[in-house]
Every structure is written in C-alpha cells, then in structure tokens.
Amino acid sequence: MPDAGPDRATARKAIALLTGAAGFTEHRPPPSPLPPDGPLGWAGYDAARERASARTGEEESVLYGTGVVGDRACVLLSFEFGFLGGSLGRQTGDRLAAAYELALARRLPLVALVATGGSRMQEGMIALTQLQRVAAASVRLRAAGLPQIAVVRDPTTGGGWATVGAGADVVLALPGAQVGFAGSRVRPPDADPYAYSAEGQFEAGQVDAVVPADELTAAVTHWLRALGPHEDLPAAPVPRALSVAGAPVPRALSAGGTESAAGAGTGAGAGTGAGAAKGSGAGTGPGAGTPSAADSGPAVPLPETGREAVARARDPRRPRAEAYLADYFAVRLPLHGDRSGSTDPGLLCGFGLRGDGQPVAYVAQCGTPTRPAGYRAAARTIRLADRLGVPVLTLVDTPGAANDAGAERAGAGAAIADTFAAVAAARVPVTTLVIGEGGSGGALALAAPDNTHVTVDSYFSVIAPELAAAILKRPPSETGATADQLRLRPQDLVDLGFARSIVG
C-alpha cells in the first residue's frame, strides 16, 4: 500500500473543504472488536493499527456522518489515507455499510471522499469480502432512489475505486489524482501512468469531471441540487427555438396550425424557458423565456419542399445543441463517457438546473453521426434520471448513427437498442425537440413517443434522401424529388402524428 504523503488532505480536512462552517456530525457504528492481530492473527497487525491511530488521530481508515454542503444535507464518508493507506478491513466495512444505511434511513444523498489503496492484506479474505458488503449497501441506496456522488482523491485504487468510487452515480476527481483499479505497485512495469490518472480516466469516460479543489464545494452543491432526492417533478419544458443569430424565434406553430408564444409548443411538457446564468459547469444564454424585441417579429416560414427542409437542417449557421443548452439551463453538469472506456464528443449528456431551480437531465446530439459510446452514455443518463425522478430533455440532431467498421465493432446495434429500451422504460416524462437532422433510427432512439416537437429548420426521415435515392436506383438529380416524397418537413411530421408541435 502506498505511503501517505504530506500533501494529501486528511479525511477531516476533505470533509471540511465541502462543509465549511456548516460543520459535520460524526457517527460511529456499534463496537465490534477484532481478535488479537485481526482475523488472520497477522503478527504485528495490532501494533500497526496503534501506530496508524497515533499518527492520524483516527480509529479506522474511514469516518462518516451527516453534514451540509452548500444548502444540501447529506451523508458524508471520507477515507483517511494516513491510516494504513486508507485500506479496507472488516471495521472499515462496518463504517461504510453504516454510512450507506444512515443515508437510506434519513433519505439523504451520499457523498464519498475516496482515497484508498484497496483491501487490507493483513485481514485476507475477510477484508476482500467487504467489497461485497459495500456493493450490497450501494444497491439498496440505489433502489431507494437516492443519489451517490464520489469525489476521488489521490490515490484511489483497488477495491475502493471499484466499489465506492466507480460505483457512484457521479464521479468527480481532483486534478492529478492517481485513479485506477491497479495500484502503483501491482501494475506492469511499462504501464502508461496517464491511464491511471484522473485526467486519463476522464479521457476514457470513467470520470465525469476533473474539478479543482477550490471549485469542489460549488460543483458538489450543484450536483446535490440536481440529483435530489426529488418528489413529483414536472416534465421538462419544450425549449424555445433559436434563430440563426442565436436569438429566440418569435412564434411557434402548434399541431392545430395556430400560433403560440415562442418555444411554448403544445400539450404535456410544453412551457416557456427560464433564465440562464453562468455557474459551475454552466452554459450561458440570454435567459430563456425573457421577452425581447424579437418577440414581436414575424414568424419564420415553414419550408415549402422536402429538399428545402433538408437544406435548412444542414445549414452550418443553424443553432446547434450547445446554443440550445446554454439558453435552456442556468447551470449544466455534464456526465462524461459510457463507463466502458469510450466517449462521443458529438453527444452531450448530463443534468442541469433551470433559472427557477428545476432540475432536468439532458441528452443532446450535436449534428454528427452518433457513435456507440454516445448511445451508451445516453442510456446511462436516462436510466439515472429515471431512478432519481428527474425529467429528461432530448435534443435530436444527427444524420444517423455512425456506420463505419469501428462503430460496428464497438456494438452500434446493441447500443442503439439499449437507448430505445431506456426511453421506452422511463417512468419520468421525456421531452424531445428535433433541432436539425432526424436521420433514421439513430435519431429515433432518442425521440420520446408522443412527446416529440420539431423546429422549423428540422426534418425527420426514415432514411436520408440521398440514400433513399440510391436504394431506389435513382440518379442523384432526383434526390430532391425523393426528399419531397418522404414527407419529412416539420409540417409533414405534425400531420403524420409523429410530432406534437412545430416550435418556431
């Protein structure tokens, strides 16, 4: 196990960094003493524990209790790396299990500040089986709809990473932290150290954000506000449409053909936006729902032909997902990666807080072919939101799923199927706005049945017009006519019953 370095924060300092003046109330499990020199009778183990206690002032490698981060009550557990390398023994397991049970009993989120070298070898298999205890306690908390946030410190390795750390709903890491299942003394000698760093794990999609210590309190506070627990949240409002210049489009056309306020849409889930302001991980915008001079302007005309609809959707000047998310949220909290070693920069996932404080989970395509990692990240986000009772917003904009050989080897079909399943199984309301291209099943996987809305510069089609013409053995000159036949314009989508409203 690695030695504790002088620059590593103690367990109590890590807690104080988050709670500040709000303080922390420590809890302890019922006493359960070990036999002399532990369950294996390991010579010198009692003396090593005594030295660790004298050096750190702690009774074990973990302490836990209740506290307030920002304005949110939670259960906190923190590892003391100076106590035998933050290793997990039976009494550590007692404390970890008690922390999860405390969160369950009080219906509070759990925040884990992890710094550990893994299981304690002086306790052998008794130590190793504590990982099963932690996993079972985590499952119970998950089933109760309570969130788990992990902050991984330096180092976080072994079973502690594989349970308390990587098993959390959201994983934040401190810069430069050593993070990985294999500790520094058990890796291949030629292993790339970057792969075992916070930054490397972020790049591989295993960590959601690398957060500097001075930004950690704000980040955790925002996450606690977004993840809850919550009760009976309303559906995500339909975003207002944006113009080419990024300003709101003044009018929306409902399924009945009547004009309504910008971005209002029709039916369940429709509503006006809230102000957007800069925050930790936040997008910025002009403030959704705020009146502007543009609100009195003329409505944007609908495309007259299918080919015009496709051209509008492919216009590089058209607002993309980043602009919509910045306008929609006051604070954005990205979830990063598919937890299988990959990321897709063309798909944005996470949770956000609107100007009125309402949390909404989001999945947004950015106009590129969506890769398998993107679909897996989308399914992860939707399932987490569903478990926590947070409504979901999806923004559809893709020419289709990635179809290269690499995508096939990465499991494109299975990833798309899993996304369809996540949307279909969601108990929380899912709201969809098609903001650009709706390319076949790769786009449909993120569309909410019966609650999909479209912008005036979007289209949705069973297949791209070019591919349809090729399959029908038509010359390229007939691609436009094929687009007309496919009835893919926004107004066609409303007439066909696929879309509920045209926004903008």
Side-chain angles (χ1 to χ4, degrees):
M1 292 172 287
D3 298 324
D7 57 338
R8 292 191 174 112
T10 66
R12 294 185 188 275
K13 285 183 179 178
I15 289 174
L17 177 66
L18 292 185
T19 60
F24 168 72
T25 302
E26 186 174 357
H27 289 240
R28 288 181 172 83
S32 180
L34 294 170
D37 279 334
L40 304 186
W42 189 287
Y45 180 44
D46 284 350
R49 287 178 54 86
E50 289 174 4
R51 289 194 298 272
S53 182
R55 184 169 58 249
T56 64
E58 303 298 345
E59 300 170 351
E60 248 300 341
S61 60
V62 163
L63 61 105
Y64 74 98
T66 55
V68 176
V69 179
D71 57 355
R72 296 287 161 161
C74 61
V75 170
L76 295 119
L77 68 86
S78 186
F79 282 74
E80 175 52 68
F81 190 79
F83 192 104
L84 300 179
S87 57
L88 281 74
R90 199 214 68 198
Q91 290 186 332
T92 322
D94 292 344
R95 289 169 173 249
L96 290 172
Y100 283 87
E101 292 304 315
L102 179 62
L104 185 62
R106 299 199 179 184
R107 289 204 56 77
L108 291 173
L110 183 135
V111 178
L113 308 172
V114 192
T116 173
S119 298
R120 192 171 298 168
M121 61 183 179
Q122 296 94 329
E123 294 190 24
M125 285 302 299
I126 299 302
L128 190 63
T129 57
Q130 301 312 305
L131 305 182
Q132 295 172 319
R133 291 182 71 188
V134 173
S138 176
V139 167
R140 288 191 291 272
L141 206 59
R142 190 174 292 119
L146 296 169
Q148 301 170 49
I149 300 171
V151 177
V152 292
R153 299 146 56 206
D154 183 47
T156 297
T157 61
W161 164 240
T163 52
V164 185
D169 298 318
V170 175
V171 181
L172 309 177
L174 292 177
Q178 180 187 165
V179 181
F181 185 65
S184 60
R185 298 183 185 180
V186 297
R187 298 172 195 156
D190 59 347
D192 178 8
Y194 183 72
Y196 305 86
S197 68
E199 291 76 11
Q201 296 286 8
F202 174 79
E203 188 175 304
Q206 308 290 359
V207 163
D208 292 305
V210 178
V211 184
D214 59 356
E215 299 176 15
L216 192 60
T217 302
V220 173
T221 300
H222 286 317
W223 273 113
L224 290 172
R225 289 171 180 167
L227 299 181
H230 303 291
E231 299 291 340
D232 300 323
L233 291 174
V238 179
R240 60 180 179 177
L242 300 179
S243 72
V244 169
V249 172
R251 303 284 180 195
L253 188 67
S254 73
T258 58
E259 290 184 351
S260 58
T266 59
T272 56
K278 192 172 183 179
S280 176
T284 59
T290 304
S292 69
D295 291 337
S296 60
V300 175
L302 292 167
E304 295 184 1
T305 64
R307 67 197 81 185
E308 182 188 346
V310 173
R312 280 201 199 179
R314 294 176 179 174
D315 188 334
R317 299 170 299 170
R318 171 182 57 78
R320 308 285 165 151
E322 277 285 3
Y324 275 93
L325 294 174
D327 187 66
Y328 192 81
F329 288 113
V331 175
R332 275 163 53 200
L333 303 163
L335 290 173
H336 184 72
D338 65 354
R339 292 300 185 265
S340 297
S342 298
T343 62
D344 179 1
L347 189 131
L348 306 176
C349 295
F351 284 65
L353 297 169
R354 289 177 52 74
D356 60 0
Q358 179 184 350
V360 174
Y362 65 87
V363 176
Q365 293 171 313
C366 298
T368 58
T370 303
R371 305 201 64 78
Y375 290 112
R376 285 191 288 267
R380 171 197 170 205
T381 302
I382 294 165
R383 289 196 173 103
L384 176 59
D386 190 49
R387 175 158 54 81
L388 299 179
V390 177
V392 177
L393 169 71
T394 65
L395 300 179
V396 170
D397 184 11
T398 180
N403 59 3
D404 56 275
E408 289 298 331
R409 285 193 291 268
I416 295 169
D418 196 41
T419 306
F420 271 117
V423 173
R427 296 158 296 179
V428 296
V430 180
T431 303
T432 297
L433 180 63
V434 185
I435 62 172
E437 293 194 79
S440 195
L444 189 67
L446 290 175
D450 303 321
N451 198 21
T452 290
H453 307 259
V454 293
T455 64
V456 294
D457 47 9
S458 69
Y459 78 88
F460 219 118
S461 178
V462 65
I463 191 171
E466 296 86 353
L467 299 179
I471 291 171
L472 295 171
K473 299 182 180 179
R474 295 176 176 177
S477 60
E478 295 187 23
T479 298
T482 304
D484 295 338
Q485 281 186 289
L486 286 169
R487 295 196 64 193
L488 46 71
R489 301 173 303 166
Q491 58 268 45
D492 295 323
L493 299 174
V494 172
D495 291 342
L496 291 169
F498 172 74
R500 291 184 60 177
S501 76
I502 300 171
V503 180

